[in-house]
Amino acid sequence: MQKLRIAIQKSGRLHEDSIRILREAGIEFNNGINKLKSEAFNFPLEVLFLRDDDIPQYVEDGVADIGIIGQNVLVEKNKNVHIINTLGFGKCRLSIAVPKAKEYSSGADLNGLKIATSYPHILGNYLKENNITAEIHEISGSVEIAPGIGLADAICDLVSSGSTLFMNGLREAQVIFKSEAVLISGNNLSAEKQEIINRLIFRLDAVKKAKNNKYILLNAPNNKLDEIIKILPGMKSPTVLPLAEEGWSSVHSVVNENDFWDIIENLKAQGAQGILVVPIEKMII
Ligand code: PRT
Ligand code: ZN
């Protein structure tokens, strides 16, 4: 039987979350400490541990079938691979930053500047689309120190909390790209490998849905049941069970994280009591 090969980051910001989502999908393997690859014990998957920058090329070449990387790397490397799922972690933005004291009101203020970055492709496209003429100075690391040492007038780098910019006397002027970790795939995979990918995606989706939803249990007076059921959509419809105490029922349902507090307030207003909310581990609709 064929095995699917997935490339994940060997060490760095995406390493742990990449391992975590595979484990949440029930796939067990040894992690990549001092290892180049690891075979899953209970799923037809082989995990390759690589530098994130190399993953798009490996997936394009078919050395790995799928991979987990930041969209920033995917777009910068511009390889012949496609996104099959977004993964909800590794969120950051690629931004142009200028020294704190420098005036910035629009992209036009970048004209004539020298901008240091490790993302020449994404920055180049942004400048072209916005008719800005600036010089791109490509450097591979410690981009944030470039203005301070006189290497550039501005930088274009990844930002999450903003504290690196702050500590280097820089100010975020313009977000040019928003990124999160994605699952990518190469082209022309065998039907057998595609089938394994489908199984993996099914599991990842079940985990994602579970995280976005909560299981809710409450006690409702029977004379308010109709109103309470209207507030709780459930997967099909809520479960209603009689309580030992006359005139009361126990209602069980699933609610979405986004509507959560509105729903709780409405339920209380309708006389619901003893409301319990519990996390869901996996959710298959
Ligand atoms: O060794 P390898 O090449 O595999 O790793 P790497 O050093 O190239 O990448 P790594 O581990 O730093 O980041 C991997 C991926 O994590 C990136 O490609 C992004 O998709 C994602 N990510 C999310 C980030 C950040 N947040 C982030 N804040 N990558 C880098 N940073 C850096 C940024 O470059 C800057 O130096 O963190 C600093 C800014 O952070 P704040 O919080 O101070 O704003
Ligand atoms: Zn890297």
Side-chain angles (χ1 to χ4, degrees):
M1 187 181 168
Q2 281 192 322
K3 282 194 173 178
L4 188 72
R5 279 187 149 191
I6 184 169
I8 67 170
Q9 196 187 24
K10 180 163 177 58
S11 65
R13 289 169 190 263
L14 303 182
H15 174 77
E16 277 181 17
D17 281 329
S18 302
I19 288 181
R20 177 184 51 78
I21 61 156
L22 293 174
R23 295 229 163 111
E24 283 173 348
I27 300 171
E28 289 164 29
F29 55 98
N30 291 323
N31 65 13
I33 299 164
N34 299 323
K35 269 182 145 192
L36 187 64
K37 62 179 184 177
S38 185
E39 278 196 26
F41 311 126
N42 57 354
F43 195 79
L45 188 76
E46 198 168 50
V47 186
L48 305 185
F49 301 98
L50 299 168
R51 287 207 49 194
D52 66 346
D53 315 73
D54 297 334
I55 291 176
Q57 184 73 59
Y58 277 97
V59 172
E60 183 184 84
D61 293 345
V63 176
D65 304 305
I66 58 175
I68 296 177
I69 48 162
Q71 280 163 306
N72 51 304
V73 173
L74 174 70
V75 175
E76 182 61 30
K77 300 290 175 188
N78 196 21
K79 300 291 175 197
N80 186 17
V81 296
H82 61 272
I83 296 179
I84 44 179
N85 235 346
T86 54
L87 299 172
F89 62 84
K91 287 189 179 165
C92 57
R93 50 201 192 270
L94 185 65
S95 292
I96 295 174
V98 296
K100 233 181 270 170
K102 194 171 176 61
E103 290 234 346
Y104 181 90
S105 53
S106 74
D109 293 336
L110 300 171
N111 275 315
L113 299 190
K114 191 172 178 184
I115 309 175
T117 189
S118 312
Y119 293 88
H121 181 72
I122 302 179
L123 176 60
N125 282 344
Y126 173 80
L127 296 177
K128 204 152 77 188
E129 276 165 20
N130 291 279
N131 293 318
I132 299 165
T133 315
E135 186 188 334
I136 298 175
H137 185 77
E138 184 177 352
I139 47 178
S140 59
S142 304
V143 175
E144 64 279 0
I145 64 167
I149 59 171
L151 195 65
D153 307 302
I155 67 164
C156 173
D157 199 11
L158 297 176
V159 182
S160 45
S161 69
S163 68
T164 303
L165 294 183
F166 182 79
M167 283 188 303
N168 286 280
L170 300 167
R171 169 165 73 87
E172 193 171 1
Q174 183 77 49
V175 177
I176 68 168
F177 186 79
K178 287 201 175 145
S179 179
E180 69 177 278
V182 288
L183 186 65
I184 58 163
S185 162
N187 299 310
N188 309 319
L189 295 188
S190 69
E192 199 175 344
K193 285 193 171 175
Q194 195 55 55
E195 183 52 37
I196 305 171
I197 293 178
N198 293 345
R199 284 175 63 198
L200 178 63
I201 292 173
F202 177 79
R203 292 183 182 202
L204 293 177
D205 281 347
V207 174
K208 210 195 265 179
K209 277 194 208 103
K211 284 207 171 123
N212 292 336
N213 289 277
K214 299 268 181 272
Y215 192 74
I216 183 165
L217 306 92
L218 57 90
N219 296 329
N222 286 349
N223 61 358
K224 289 284 186 180
L225 265 181
D226 287 348
E227 284 86 346
I228 285 177
I229 287 170
K230 267 188 220 134
I231 302 169
L232 288 172
M235 294 229 278
K236 258 198 170 48
S237 67
T239 308
V240 180
L241 303 163
L243 283 190
E245 186 177 329
E246 193 77 9
W248 283 79
S249 298
S250 168
V251 181
H252 300 200
S253 190
V254 171
V255 294
N256 191 283
E257 185 99 282
N258 297 331
D259 317 323
F260 181 73
W261 287 110
D262 287 343
I263 290 178
I264 298 284
E265 283 164 14
N266 289 339
L267 289 170
K268 280 188 68 186
Q270 291 298 336
Q273 294 181 4
I275 303 173
L276 293 181
V277 177
V278 287
I280 299 170
E281 196 174 312
K282 309 277 188 297
M283 186 163 156
I284 293 121
I285 297 177

